[in-house]
Amino acid sequence: MTRGWTEHSGRALELAMENVDTDQIIPARFMSTPRSEGYAKYLFHDLRRDADGALLSTFPLNDHADATILITQRNFGTGSSREAAVYALADAGFRVIIAPSFGDIFAGNAVNNGVLPATVNEADIDALTASMAGQNADLIVSLETLTISCNSVRVPFALSDTWSLKLKNGWDDIDLTLQHTPEIQRFKEARREERPWAWPDVAR
Amino acid sequence: MSPKTLYDKIWDAHVAHEADDGTCLLYVDRHLVHEVTSPQAFEGLRMAGRPVHAPDKTIAVPDHNVPTTPGREDPANMTEDSAIQVAALDKNAKDFGIHYYPVSDIRQGIVHIVGPEQGWTLPGMTVVCGDSHTATHGAFGALAHGIGTSEVEHVLATQTLIQKKSKNMKVEITGKLRPGVTAKDITLSVIGKTGTAGGTGFVIEYCGEAIRDLSMEGRMTVCNMAIEGGARAGLIAPDETTYEYVKGRPHAPKGAQWEAALEWWKTLYSDDDAHWDEIVTIKGEDIAPVATWGTSPEDVLPITAVVPAPEDFEGGKVDAARRSLEYMGLTPGQKLTDIEIDTVFIGSCTNGRIEDLRAAADIVRGKKIKDGMRAMVVPGSGLVRLQAEEEGLADVFKEAGFEWRLAGCSMCLAMNPDQLSEHERCAATSNRNFEGRQGYKGRTHLVSPAMAAAAAITGKLTDVRDMM
């Protein structure tokens, strides 16, 4: 269960890399850490540090720890299904990721943790970053209007109704699905009747 | 009835509820679970006082973070985090009453190898697992999705998955493959053509003569990497090859149930006039043995090619290529076959099955690995390992100088101690060449099992056709 939100305003950070995979967002060796310890320190661990663990001044996040919105390039979150990638982003304060496309599983994981994967086309991303250039301007992201604004620039993003509702209400999927229990039960019984072999105890 | 794709048919058979915006609750036939992405999901159930909805359809096996060295039945021989995760899975399996293959069980192995091997995976099913390579099971004509940990908890609690339907993509590989070309070369070549985001929003059905000609092992290799092309799942329509593989497996239907299942399975193909949102066609004869040069699976070229220059690309890829080349320590214009290799890893859910080990052993037989080479074979399951020992393949590897390991994910994701060190260069049969994937600053070249075996012998990336 996460807290719902309808509008977020915050500082945006640009990570001008494409195909940032979930191994880059959090290397596998940190995935055994209990969530209660917090994952923020592992975010982009090997990208933002040198071999001795010192922060690299060249990595944008290291100068902008207050950012809550990440603007990046195509196919962000590709690769491993690890939800730990979203834990790391969320624990570091990120609420919105803006990219032309996302790894499918990553996008679902993001929504399940209250983080918006906002799909924005490349031209609109360029317009946003241009309007941010040299200014300490906040972006305003609205789940009501499905738009992102910065100064005079306003661009749309794509999001399904279901995901929008989930983010707004901070709903727990399981509670929602359990409301459909009678329907699931009916489906299950019909399926068992029609395809009994799909039940392991029958199959054996 | 309107014509349907294979994906449409399986989807339609599993929709338990549909919301107004098309988001569905898909009923899940098999839920595979491993030790790394499940602990928080089970903890969530405990905190809410919920049982596992369908323990008989839930199968757990530790694989991602287990050691692949002898003596691992004793937790004292595991790293601390590994022992904690394996103990948690032991306990969760027992407490929630789900099927379980512990590390001490000969049937233990990589979850995507164990599922098919034990007959849990069947055509026409929905299969999910908290692992992106769940796509593997699509080789059976099963709709198989990798999911996150929140979704794992959702499936445990409700036996359904919240999904919006994807678009349909057909990837056709026509004609025959040339000698030395394998399923791995097919799947990497497809990604080379479509890019890693080319499949985003799609479920891919692989078809065509070259796909039909593949064994189940090869088909699993192809579907396994659908996720690397960005797709939600990969599928191959079931046929006689599929039925022959499935029949008689421990959890496959028997007798009258088999006949009933078979009758439905034979309807699982894409209708001739079904609608495709995208079609990709590749001639089988145009596919060469390939290797990756960069840090994305789309960075793939025939082994006869040279390392590209950043200027060969467009857009964001120019910077990405520059970064990849620097990370990989390669120079544009360098021949791929001149790249020297330190380590060879043969295994993973992509290429850890018996056919893969046979292909590698055929190259290795009677030879020695290059001096100073570190080479390991990590069979995909205890049963694959046993079969390889019975067929004499283990001896071939050991005599050549390979380490012969116990089953697990191992150096594919390098959670356990099987890791590359800084700048160590590896020819790997696994699925991801991301920065740091096989160890901090490690360098990965993705290849087929035969190509990996060839590299172990020569010490360089090698065109396997020169060794056949």
Side-chain angles (χ1 to χ4, degrees), chain B residues 7 16 22 38 87 136 165 169 175 180 190 272 327 334 362 411 418 454:
Chain B
Y7 171 50
S38 69
T136 312
K165 196 164 177 214
M169 183 191 292
V190 171
D272 284 342
Y327 181 88
Q334 186 179 3
D362 281 347
M411 201 188 266
D418 305 341

Side-chain angles (χ1 to χ4, degrees), chain B residues 151-215:
Chain B
E151 291 172 311
V152 169
E153 185 180 343
H154 185 274
V155 176
L156 288 172
T158 69
Q159 203 58 19
T160 63
L161 180 69
I162 303 172
Q163 277 289 293
K164 272 196 96 159
K165 196 164 177 214
S166 303
K167 292 177 285 184
N168 279 288
M169 183 191 292
K170 174 157 90 169
V171 173
E172 186 174 18
I173 314 294
T174 60
K176 300 279 182 196
L177 297 178
R178 293 185 183 276
V181 178
T182 68
K184 183 66 164 287
D185 302 300
I186 293 178
T187 202
L188 279 169
S189 298
V190 171
I191 298 163
K193 186 170 169 120
T194 61
T196 47
T200 304
F202 291 93
V203 162
I204 295 176
E205 181 178 340
Y206 300 93
C207 60
E209 186 182 354
I211 297 291
R212 286 280 137 235
D213 284 350
L214 293 175
S215 65

Side-chain angles (χ1 to χ4, degrees), chain B residues 45-284:
Chain B
L45 291 188
R46 271 198 191 90
M47 279 161 59
R50 290 175 176 134
V52 171
H53 183 101
D56 57 332
K57 296 175 179 176
T58 310
I59 301 101
V61 57
D63 59 358
H64 276 60
N65 197 8
V66 297
T68 57
T69 41
R72 65 182 184 178
E73 302 77 14
D74 181 355
N77 293 327
M78 292 187 186
T79 58
E80 189 188 353
D81 63 325
S82 175
I84 289 170
Q85 286 172 339
V86 171
L89 191 60
D90 286 346
K91 179 170 165 46
N92 288 329
K94 190 162 168 264
D95 288 357
F96 290 95
I98 62 181
H99 297 278
Y100 190 46
Y101 304 103
V103 280
S104 56
D105 194 309
I106 186 74
R107 297 167 297 179
Q108 179 272 346
I110 304 173
V111 63
H112 307 307
I113 292 187
V114 173
E117 206 168 64
Q118 293 301 317
W120 291 114
T121 307
L122 300 172
M125 282 188 159
T126 46
V127 179
V128 301
C129 175
D131 184 87
S132 58
H133 291 110
T134 309
T136 312
H137 307 266
F140 292 79
L143 180 58
H145 289 313
I147 58 178
T149 297
S150 297
E151 291 172 311
V152 169
E153 185 180 343
H154 185 274
V155 176
L156 288 172
T158 69
Q159 203 58 19
T160 63
L161 180 69
I162 303 172
Q163 277 289 293
K164 272 196 96 159
K165 196 164 177 214
S166 303
K167 292 177 285 184
N168 279 288
M169 183 191 292
K170 174 157 90 169
V171 173
E172 186 174 18
I173 314 294
T174 60
K176 300 279 182 196
L177 297 178
R178 293 185 183 276
V181 178
T182 68
K184 183 66 164 287
D185 302 300
I186 293 178
T187 202
L188 279 169
S189 298
V190 171
I191 298 163
K193 186 170 169 120
T194 61
T196 47
T200 304
F202 291 93
V203 162
I204 295 176
E205 181 178 340
Y206 300 93
C207 60
E209 186 182 354
I211 297 291
R212 286 280 137 235
D213 284 350
L214 293 175
S215 65
M216 284 316 295
E217 284 85 352
R219 294 179 189 186
M220 284 188 256
T221 300
V222 170
C223 287
N224 173 275
M225 290 191 71
I227 187 75
E228 259 60 65
R232 199 78 178 90
L235 283 171
I236 293 174
D239 60 11
E240 291 303 324
T241 304
T242 322
Y243 312 141
E244 197 180 316
Y245 178 98
V246 170
K247 196 168 187 178
R249 301 221 166 236
H251 295 279
K254 310 279 190 296
Q257 292 299 331
W258 171 263
E259 295 305 325
L262 199 58
E263 194 182 333
W264 187 56
W265 293 346
K266 288 185 172 173
T267 69
L268 296 178
Y269 53 83
S270 291
D271 298 327
D272 284 342
D273 37 4
H275 171 75
W276 298 98
D277 299 289
E278 193 147 334
I279 296 175
V280 173
T281 305
I282 298 177
K283 282 186 192 163

Side-chain angles (χ1 to χ4, degrees), chain A residues 19 83 104 162 175 177 191, chain B residues 21 29 149-150 154 196 232:
Chain A
N19 275 326
E83 199 156 319
D104 239 351
T162 300
D175 285 338
T177 296
R191 186 165 158 77
Chain B
D21 76 340
D29 290 316
T149 297
S150 297
H154 185 274
T196 47
R232 199 78 178 90

Side-chain angles (χ1 to χ4, degrees), chain A residues 33-167:
Chain A
T33 312
R35 179 72 196 275
S36 55
E37 287 180 19
Y39 273 56
K41 58 181 175 291
Y42 304 127
L43 179 63
F44 300 124
H45 188 279
D46 293 350
L47 289 176
R48 67 192 291 195
R49 285 178 179 77
D50 67 17
D52 300 321
L55 293 173
L56 295 165
S57 61
T58 47
F59 193 74
L61 182 61
N62 292 336
D63 286 337
H64 298 280
D66 59 336
T68 58
I69 300 169
L70 188 70
I71 304 181
T72 183
Q73 299 180 353
R74 79 174 170 111
N75 208 24
F76 185 81
T78 184
S80 157
S81 63
R82 62 189 66 167
E83 199 156 319
V86 179
Y87 301 159
L89 285 160
D91 289 358
F94 285 96
R95 287 289 160 272
V96 181
I97 317 293
I98 299 170
S101 58
F102 291 93
D104 239 351
I105 306 174
F106 172 86
N109 290 342
V111 172
N112 282 329
N113 289 274
V115 175
L116 165 66
T119 305
V120 177
N121 71 47
E122 287 177 24
D124 284 346
I125 287 181
D126 288 346
L128 270 183
T129 50
S131 74
M132 283 161 51
Q135 306 194 30
N136 285 325
D138 280 357
L139 295 196
I140 300 166
V141 181
S142 168
L143 291 174
E144 292 296 350
T145 58
L146 301 183
T147 58
I148 302 166
S149 325
C150 180
N151 297 323
S152 59
V153 174
R154 187 167 144 121
V155 304
F157 65 87
L159 188 72
S160 76
D161 293 349
T162 300
W163 278 5
S164 170
L165 272 175
K166 271 180 61 169
L167 287 167

